[in-house]
Amino acid sequence: MCNLSTVPKSAAEVAAHFGVANPIQSNAPEESYPGTPGMVVREQEGARVMQSMTWGFPLRLQGMKPDSKPKPVNNIADLTKGMWIGLARKPQWRCLIPLTGFAEAEGPKGAKTRTWFSVKDEPIFAWAGLWRVSDEWGPVYSGAMTDANEAVGPVHNRMPVLLHRDEYDQWLRGSFEDALAFQKRIFPAELIEMERTSEPWVKKKSAEPEGATLL
């Protein structure tokens, strides 16, 4: 499960990497948590555009109080199930999530630290995602997950669906079968770099990575 990621600071760098003609500065912080702003790249009228959205689809669980805050569903376990299949079938609801890294929690309970992963020789890379407009938070996005490769596996059994540069168009414009194929494949372990740190997994009460949801 991916509950913490870092996003590029420079809108111009993101625009250059993803082929966006008119970059806009995002209000996304450098570290992104579920329920907070993040940056996505999507297609609009045949061109790629950048947009700030909330990370996580709002979900109200049974028994929640009417005035309670929805839970952000920030990871997509299976594109063929639930609320995901209708969006995944339609290319206009697919997006690219720009990242510079993603983290997983490692260590004993109460003393977990952040282990960061990135793509070798790629300062910016893409996580395959879906987006929609919600009543609660406006535009929102979530990222597709897949089985971990040998590089991520020692820390977690799942990882984001990462895309190579030449696969961006296929995710954004391809068939439903293309999208499913990306979720089923194993990203090459030799392209992943890992950095274990002493950083506490939870740094702030206001932004706890562990409070996220996978559907």
Side-chain angles (χ1 to χ4, degrees):
M1 185 181 297
C2 183
N3 296 336
L4 171 62
S5 62
T6 49
V7 300
K9 289 182 179 180
S10 169
E13 288 179 358
V14 174
H17 180 92
F18 290 97
V20 175
N22 298 304
I24 60 168
Q25 192 61 45
S26 169
N27 64 341
E30 185 178 359
E31 285 190 355
S32 186
Y33 303 88
T36 66
M39 184 190 301
V40 305
V41 173
R42 62 182 182 87
E43 283 209 340
Q44 181 174 294
E45 297 178 356
R48 292 183 187 173
V49 296
M50 294 167 53
Q51 187 173 351
S52 180
M53 300 184 186
T54 298
W55 183 13
F57 283 34
L59 174 68
R60 291 198 171 276
L61 300 174
Q62 191 172 7
M64 290 179 69
K65 297 179 180 179
D67 59 347
S68 60
K69 184 180 179 180
K71 200 170 182 66
V73 183
N74 59 298
N75 291 169
I76 304 167
D78 190 339
L79 291 168
T80 68
K81 294 183 178 178
M83 60 182 169
W84 309 118
I85 185 169
L87 296 171
R89 286 186 181 278
K90 300 175 181 178
Q92 64 264 36
W93 298 116
R94 298 184 204 151
C95 64
L96 305 170
I97 306 167
L99 299 180
T100 59
F102 64 93
E104 295 292 353
E106 189 173 18
K109 188 175 181 179
K112 292 183 183 295
T113 55
R114 299 177 176 192
T115 296
W116 288 94
F117 298 94
S118 57
V119 177
K120 188 176 182 179
D121 299 326
E122 291 286 2
I124 299 173
F125 55 96
W127 180 10
L130 299 176
W131 76 283
R132 71 174 176 89
V133 180
S134 71
D135 293 333
E136 297 89 345
W137 300 334
V140 295
Y141 71 95
S142 187
M145 302 296 289
T146 188
D147 292 334
N149 58 25
E150 292 181 358
V152 179
V155 181
H156 203 281
N157 64 351
R158 303 286 282 172
M159 65 179 287
V161 174
L162 303 180
L163 302 171
H164 301 289
R165 291 190 189 218
D166 61 0
E167 295 172 336
Y168 294 170
D169 275 341
Q170 190 175 6
W171 173 258
L172 290 174
R173 300 178 180 177
S175 67
F176 182 50
E177 288 70 29
D178 289 336
L180 296 183
F182 282 124
Q183 190 167 44
K184 291 176 182 177
R185 76 145 181 220
I186 303 297
F187 192 80
E190 63 271 18
L191 297 182
I192 295 291
E193 294 186 332
M194 178 175 69
E195 181 186 3
R196 286 189 165 98
T197 74
S198 58
E199 298 176 88
W201 177 245
V202 177
K203 288 187 176 182
K204 302 177 185 177
K205 267 193 171 181
S206 60
E208 293 194 2
E210 292 183 308
T213 305
L214 170 70
L215 283 183

